[in-house]
Amino acid sequence: MKKKIIPLRSAQWFGRQDIYGFLYRSWTKNRGIPHDQFDGRPVIGICNTYSELVPCNTHFRVLAEHVKAGVLEAGGFPLEFPVMSLGETLLRPTAMLYRNLASMDVEESLRANPIDGTVLLVGCDKTTPSLLMGASSVDLPTIAVSGGPMLSGKYRGTDIGSGTNLWSMSEELRAGKITLDEFHEAESCMHRSHGHCMTMGTASTMASMVEALGIGMPGNAAYPAVDARRNVLARMAGRRIVELVKQKVTISQILTKQAFENAIRANAAIGGSTNAVIHLIAIARRLGVVLTLSDWDRLGRGVHTLVNLMPNGKYLMEDFCYAGGLPTVLRELGEADFLNKDAITVNGKTIWENNQDAPCHNRDVIFPFKKPFKKNTGIAVLRGNLCPGGAIIKPSAATPKLMKHRGRAVVFKNIEDFHKRIDDPQLDIDAQCVMVLQNCGPKGYPGMAEVGNMPLPPKLLKKGVTDMVRISDARMSGTAYGTVILHMVPEAAAGGLLALVQNGDMIELDVAKRKLELLVSPEEIAQRKKAWKEPKPPLDRGYWKLYFDHVLQADQGADLDFLVGKSGAFVPRDNH
Ligand code: FES
């Protein structure tokens, strides 16, 4: 029997021989596209987050040209298009507020256009999850290409890393240990090439997640943005996406539960950002893959941090690349039996076939699993009366002796209150206290800002205190460090117990037992609850209102409730 050939979805536009076929083709030809490009070949949408407002993605026009070259070489028809881009440094109040909005842009752009498969150009923190979330809801063949990290920062003979040394140097400035001139000099030395933050912050973590999930090509995590191999990778992705369209391999066939499990373990092995917890859950929920906080805790147990990278260690992504990059880490995980080896990846091979022979060129950067850099460092999920829905801590970035701790709460009502009082020499705080920040969660901020790693009070910094227990419903920059408990569910603004914590309350943390408790009687809590009022959104219109009315809690990925799941590539109404 003759096999029935199902035309590609782009044929509904370009394959028509009527008035609409004329309309679709003729306008597209206006920049010099030959007629033979409309012969039924795969149309590849290159989803570009280039923006001069997003410094980490400013080389993406060049990257897109390399993807296009690959698509053309493989017989596809590339069409590049822009989507909302999100930069961590300039966007206010926080890029996270707009992650879901950008994902809607991606989803609708893919569905509404004659696209058979897509290459997502991702870089700065939120551009990776937003594009993967949107693409997951449409479920076309998809490859993500990360823009790559910047070269290492170099300051007066030492390496300095994005974010990590920003935090440390700003604390040194506040403590009077460096001058403003030195601070300015470091500012010019830190970011000296194209690319995203070169610490193992959120962008590098998400680029590693792309590779570990198998939705990116091998090498995706670590090739520097300005390394020629980054452009080769983009070109190979362009070639490969054409094959994926022909083979009808969609994103949901790659991003399976197995793939997410691999990514969670890879996150533990790289000492990755806590932000990956929220983003991976959000992506999984778009696909209908059941992924919970408990999965994070379960899968991270027994996994060690292998890479000695800032913010947990001393090296940077450039060093990681030269040491072997993520393939070496995945090979170590596989040998330790912490990898679903059969998970299929976008290059058509399994994750194990891609990585089983990966060498290590520097054991001070990538440690062997048997002699790890830090032991048992998977994300720990805490529960207790303060966070019945969960809260997280990244043990690899925390101080071991603070992992079991009891202290007096010093409460900040919101981030403004924190900034107003933290430098006050009269602030009643000592090194044993637990710093508590309220109203910085998905609804409370809104957008769940990266403010959970509250800077320590200058008067304690001057005494040599380097870490304290800090708890909040906020997130933390992936480049930050410390004994910081984040993502508390329910958040303060959603009526969580966090909102009722008062100065002087005792708080008990026991990471080994996964416990976080407010040591206040139920009667007292009930009294306080009566006086609590739900906060109002700071801007009650437009996207802010949509977001405030529909955002889910952190344990559900902080997605908008109506975006969970996928609706596919079918356009339900079409008058053509
Ligand atoms: Fe873009 Fe850090 S600011 S990755």
Side-chain angles (χ1 to χ4, degrees), residues 56 88-89 123-125 196-197 203:
C56 307
E88 290 303 303
T89 52
C124 198
D125 297 11
H196 58 69
C197 289

